[in-house]
């Protein structure tokens, strides 16, 4: 993973020094936390990729799930329980022979029926695995979907519960229930929040079962933890946090993740959830009402290029952009001759990577001359290792950024607001 | 389509009066424009749904494409040339027996190969149609994809060009080329911009060929034109524009389209492109540099609910939300008994529509008590008629909003900025 910021921001090393200095204590803390696997701190998600016990537990569970017969993996989970898995899967699946992933991440009778039909069509329940992922164990949509799916497929497959794997906090009501019924369970460490949990069983189990090389994913994540907790030039998470914070202080409170590979759109959505929920806070660390936050957006190049270029370049100076791209390993080439040649003469005989690179550079130049700042992330291939490194980089960047903004990256107090009304309405509807 | 705004904004009819007054002249103009099909004004997209000649031309072309043998429709087009078709298709396809749509809306060797493989696998070229959509006729990505796809499938299907239909401005280089080669062509009226073109051949031809009832789509659009150009209580586009403008003036420059049906995500993306490109402008109507714009975001309930609720309720007061939902015609019900019952006791035996409604109402209540304003759009079913009405409503709302913001809704001057650099780079790479 290559992180470049100088050309796009016009900032110098010196301008990042005050933020670096402010973050030095916290960086040291992260460096220390990374040395353990005790999951005793809110930042303990950075320990996950070093946890060999976890890796073995996941791999054992995958073997138990009979990966050779599994064709479909259903993931029932919402937000942090599913976005990380989707991000990695969607980035890799177009070029890999992975098993099929179905995500039930909201209530949708249509999606539920499609998945139930597909599972019922299998002769044996060994053709699928259903992962029920809920950190708290009590997420309404997740449990409702698990209940409905179980009953829908039980008629055909009386033993379908053997194909359910539950991933939740140890000791949650869901955990206890699953144990009572002899279901397979995997724990999420209590201190690891949903949006930081992709390197725990939450992401690792479904991904490994689907055929993703989780050892490579973890290896990329480990390298990113080392790089981004050190006091060195490799610490791009700290640099990025300093830059985003600088831009935010200067009125750029919208952060666009502009991916130039369509298969990375889900990765952008994972980033969106991570940063929206971690940084949007009413109170700061001292308990003072501050109402701060950064609004994350996701754009896909070049599909969204006209509208985002028009808005970013023409519109108000309220945005900051992180461009993310990777060259395609299997490139294509525009032919020299075709019915449509000469309509865009410059594209004839050029490679797709080459044209895309010209489009990206054209975009960067236009952003620069409009004074619209950006940084660039280049993934050296769409591989497990690079994705692991990028995701870990983003999680640590978010922690640094929360420190600079002086908010708690790990709580989500406002979520309770809508949940309590929903519960009351559901209770009333039952009567 | 039902539009509600009083509860969520706390505004009164009286507070909208000044904006209504300001818009009265423009409203009258729209009302007059809607009576013709001369396509002589920038607003002429509102004439499309009344244009019987257009409808006949599209239906004739669909018949010529042998819809009975077509299984796959490939749409090569970017931004306004593809987003509208995707929006309608994605909303309807989960519950309909439509043909399969493949969209090539950016450069992606992976997607291109997948589509080429699929077309080549057919015994006859009559099994597919390829729509090449480019208003200007010179969009680099679109022409490059058309060139590559043609050459890729020509080896198997020498007559594949007969299966290409070109949709572009009459007289563009692409138009002339297609005519020279005896390809089928459909025109987009010159004054109808890409992002306002879904009710032209751009959206109608691929949708009709896929099996969408375009007469119903147009009927919904016609009703929306009538309602939203009148001076009456049915004019919800004017009300919505007045409200969004009011919020924007009060610092809420981010407009979230929060859909509560996952199948409406593409519709949200269509709205995003429409408003980003129409309203993000450097200069106002008098040529004065103003740099205004509204940043559109798309959220999907309940997948994005935790992160968006946390950011909207906890974070800065810079957002305004339009909730969009429809009840599902084919509902599902959570069973009374299951292994997972009692974990969320209130969901037992409830319908999916019922739970989703409680979640929506819970969200609304939380937004209200946090002082976060919103409006609601209820679609009475996921049907062609409702989608046509909603899209037409949004296009007219955007025109009103541009008037209130005093910008030109129909140009995109900043897009040229990146295009010229890209062209230079491509030229250099050729040498």
């Amino acid at each position: 993973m290559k992180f470049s910021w100088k050309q796009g921001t016009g900032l110098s090393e010196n301008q990042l020094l005050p933020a670096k200095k402010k973050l030095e204590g916290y960086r040291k803390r992260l460096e220390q936390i990374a040395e353990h696997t005790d999951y005793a701190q809110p930042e303990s998600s950075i320990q996950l990729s070093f946890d060999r016990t976890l890796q073995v537990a996941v791999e054992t569970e995958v073997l138990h799930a009979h990966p050779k017969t599994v064709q479909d993996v259903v993931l029932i989970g919402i937000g942090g329980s599913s976005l990380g898995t989707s991000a990695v899967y969607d980035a890799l699946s177009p070029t890999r022979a992975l098993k099929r992933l179905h995500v039930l991440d909201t209530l949708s009778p249509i999606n539920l029926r499609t998945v139930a039909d597909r599972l019922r069509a299998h002769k044996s329940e060994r053709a699928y695995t259903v992962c029920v992922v809920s950190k708290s164990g009590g997420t309404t949509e997740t449990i409702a979907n698990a209940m409905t799916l179980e009953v829908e497929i039980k008629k055909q497959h009386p033993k379908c519960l053997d194909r359910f794997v539950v991933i939740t906090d140890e000791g949650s009501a869901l955990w206890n229930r699953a144990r009572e019924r002899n279901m397979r369970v995997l724990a999420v460490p209590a201190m690891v929040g949903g949006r930081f949990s992709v390197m725990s069983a939450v992401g690792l189990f479904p991904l490994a079962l689907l055929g993703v090389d989780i050892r490579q994913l973890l290896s990329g994540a480990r390298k990113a933890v080392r790089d981004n907790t050190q006091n060195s030039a490799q610490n791009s998470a700290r640099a990025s946090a300093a830059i985003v914070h600088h831009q935010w202080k200067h009125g750029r409170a919208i952060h666009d993740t502009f991916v130039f590979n369509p298969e990375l759109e889900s990765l952008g959505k994972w980033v969106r959830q991570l940063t929206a929920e971690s940084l949007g806070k009413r109170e700061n660390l001292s308990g003072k009402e501050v109402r701060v936050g950064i609004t994350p957006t996701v754009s896909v190049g070049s599909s969204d290029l006209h509208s985002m270029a028009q808005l970013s370049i023409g519109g108000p100076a309220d945005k900051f952009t992180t461009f993310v791209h990777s060259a395609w390993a299997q490139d294509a080439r525009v032919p020299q001759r075709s019915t449509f040649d000469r309509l865009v003469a410059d594209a004839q005989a050029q490679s797709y990577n080459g044209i895309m690179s010209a489009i990206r550079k054209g975009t960067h130049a236009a952003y620069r001359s409009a004074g619209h700042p950006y940084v660039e992330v280049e993934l050296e291939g769409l591989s497990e290792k690079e994705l692991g490194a990028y995701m870990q980089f983003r999680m640590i960047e978010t922690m640094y950024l929360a420190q600079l903004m002086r908010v708690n990256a790990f709580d989500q107090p406002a979520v309770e607001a809508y949940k309590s009304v929903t519960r009351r309405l559901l209770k009333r509807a039952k009567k």
Side-chain angles (χ1 to χ4, degrees), chain A:
Chain A
M1 188 197 122
K2 210 176 123 197
F3 178 76
S4 326
W5 56 276
K6 286 185 189 167
Q7 196 183 30
T9 59
L11 296 173
S12 67
E13 292 280 1
N14 270 347
Q15 283 171 287
L16 303 192
L17 278 183
K20 276 193 186 175
K21 226 168 153 182
K22 253 188 221 160
L23 285 174
E24 184 52 17
Y26 191 68
R27 183 200 64 71
K28 277 189 186 150
R29 197 170 137 199
L30 291 185
E31 200 172 16
Q32 281 161 8
I33 290 171
E35 285 170 13
H36 305 271
T37 49
D38 57 359
Y39 302 111
Q41 308 294 329
E43 290 87 353
S44 290
S45 62
I46 63 172
Q47 300 173 342
L48 290 163
S49 60
F50 296 90
D51 188 342
R52 302 289 176 177
T53 315
L54 164 66
Q55 191 192 307
V56 171
V58 166
E59 287 174 348
T60 307
E61 212 52 62
V62 169
L63 283 179
H64 189 270
H66 301 96
K68 283 189 183 158
T69 59
V70 169
Q71 296 170 44
D72 291 281
V73 176
V74 180
L75 173 48
I76 307 180
I78 191 169
S81 299
S82 60
L83 286 168
T85 301
S86 291
V88 176
Y89 181 81
D90 291 350
L92 298 175
S93 60
T95 49
R96 296 285 184 81
L98 300 178
K99 297 167 202 300
R100 201 182 286 242
L101 173 66
H102 311 266
V103 180
L104 295 175
D105 63 350
T106 181
L107 291 182
S108 162
I110 300 165
N111 295 350
L112 186 96
R113 214 153 275 146
T114 307
V115 171
D117 287 349
R118 193 167 167 91
L119 300 194
R120 273 195 299 244
H122 287 298
K123 276 191 192 145
S124 151
E125 49 271 84
R126 286 223 174 167
Y128 56 81
T129 295
V130 179
C131 308
V132 180
V133 188
S134 168
K135 192 171 153 57
S136 69
T139 312
T140 306
E141 296 93 323
T142 302
I143 301 298
N145 276 328
M147 287 173 73
T148 315
L149 190 67
E150 181 203 352
V151 171
E152 287 271 318
I153 55 180
K154 214 166 195 170
K155 297 163 207 162
Q156 250 83 4
H157 298 154
K159 288 186 166 181
C160 70
L161 263 196
D162 295 349
R163 308 302 304 162
F164 278 58
V165 175
V166 165
I167 303 173
T168 181
D169 271 354
E170 201 169 334
S172 76
L174 176 58
W175 171 279
N176 295 334
R177 188 70 179 152
R179 294 297 292 264
E180 271 171 40
R181 295 291 180 111
N182 282 319
M183 289 165 68
R184 311 294 303 185
V185 289
L186 278 163
V188 192
M191 292 299 274
V192 173
R195 58 189 180 273
F196 292 95
S197 69
V198 61
M199 302 296 163
S200 77
V202 169
L204 296 181
F205 175 73
L207 286 170
L209 188 58
L210 286 159
V212 169
D213 186 340
I214 60 165
R215 290 185 185 202
Q216 284 298 311
L217 190 80
L218 292 169
S219 148
R222 277 197 301 276
K223 181 168 179 352
V225 172
R226 285 195 199 103
D227 283 351
N228 294 300
T229 60
Q230 281 173 5
N231 183 22
S232 75
Q234 276 71 52
N235 195 328
S236 45
R238 182 179 57 178
S240 184
I243 294 162
V244 174
H245 183 248
H246 174 90
Q247 301 297 344
W248 174 71
K249 278 198 304 182
H250 290 79
R252 298 184 181 270
I254 298 169
H255 188 173
D256 191 32
T257 296
F258 205 150
V259 301
F260 267 73
N261 304 66
E263 49 277 35
L264 293 182
E265 184 175 6
S266 297
L267 186 65
K269 290 181 177 178
W270 172 84
V271 169
R272 191 171 66 173
Q273 198 245 0
L274 172 70
T275 58
E277 202 164 340
S278 300
L279 304 174
K281 295 291 148 78
R282 182 182 292 272
E283 299 180 351
N284 70 9
L285 289 170
S286 324
K288 195 182 143 198
E289 177 157 334
V290 285
R291 298 203 67 169
V292 298
I294 292 180
T295 298
T297 56
V298 183
S299 306
V300 180
S302 49
S303 320
D304 296 325
L305 192 48
H306 289 195
S307 56
M308 281 314 290
Q310 178 58 43
L311 179 61
S312 297
I313 295 173
D318 57 3
K319 284 172 205 65
F320 177 72
T321 302
T322 295
F323 289 104
V324 183
H325 85 279
S326 167
W328 289 288
Q330 301 163 295
D331 201 4
R333 187 172 286 279
V334 180
Q336 176 69 35
R337 288 271 154 263
S338 133
T339 305
F340 304 100
D341 60 17
R342 277 175 296 173
L343 292 170
V344 284
D346 300 330
Q348 277 173 261
Q350 302 247 23
S351 76
Y352 273 42
N353 275 326
I355 300 176
M356 206 52 152
S357 163
I359 292 173
R360 271 191 298 106
K361 284 177 187 160
T363 309
H364 296 168
Y367 274 44
R368 279 200 303 278
S369 52
H372 183 92
Y374 65 87
V375 297
E376 277 181 89
V377 174
E378 184 182 348
L379 304 181
E380 291 152 43
L382 294 176
S383 68
E384 282 91 339
K385 199 162 185 175
E386 285 292 288
L387 292 167
Y390 177 76
M391 294 174 98
Q392 193 64 66
F393 153 78
R394 277 295 210 187
M395 289 189 272
I396 299 177
E397 181 209 28
T398 303
M399 295 178 197
Y400 282 130
L401 201 41
Q403 280 295 307
L404 291 172
M405 293 168 71
R406 300 206 64 246
V407 295
N408 183 344
F410 307 103
D411 66 355
Q412 52 282 330
V415 175
E416 194 44 41
Y418 93 87
K419 280 192 169 176
S420 63
V421 184
T422 299
R423 276 195 294 266
R424 208 165 58 231
L425 289 169
L426 280 174
K427 222 166 244 156
R428 201 185 301 161
K430 287 214 79 167
K431 280 169 193 164

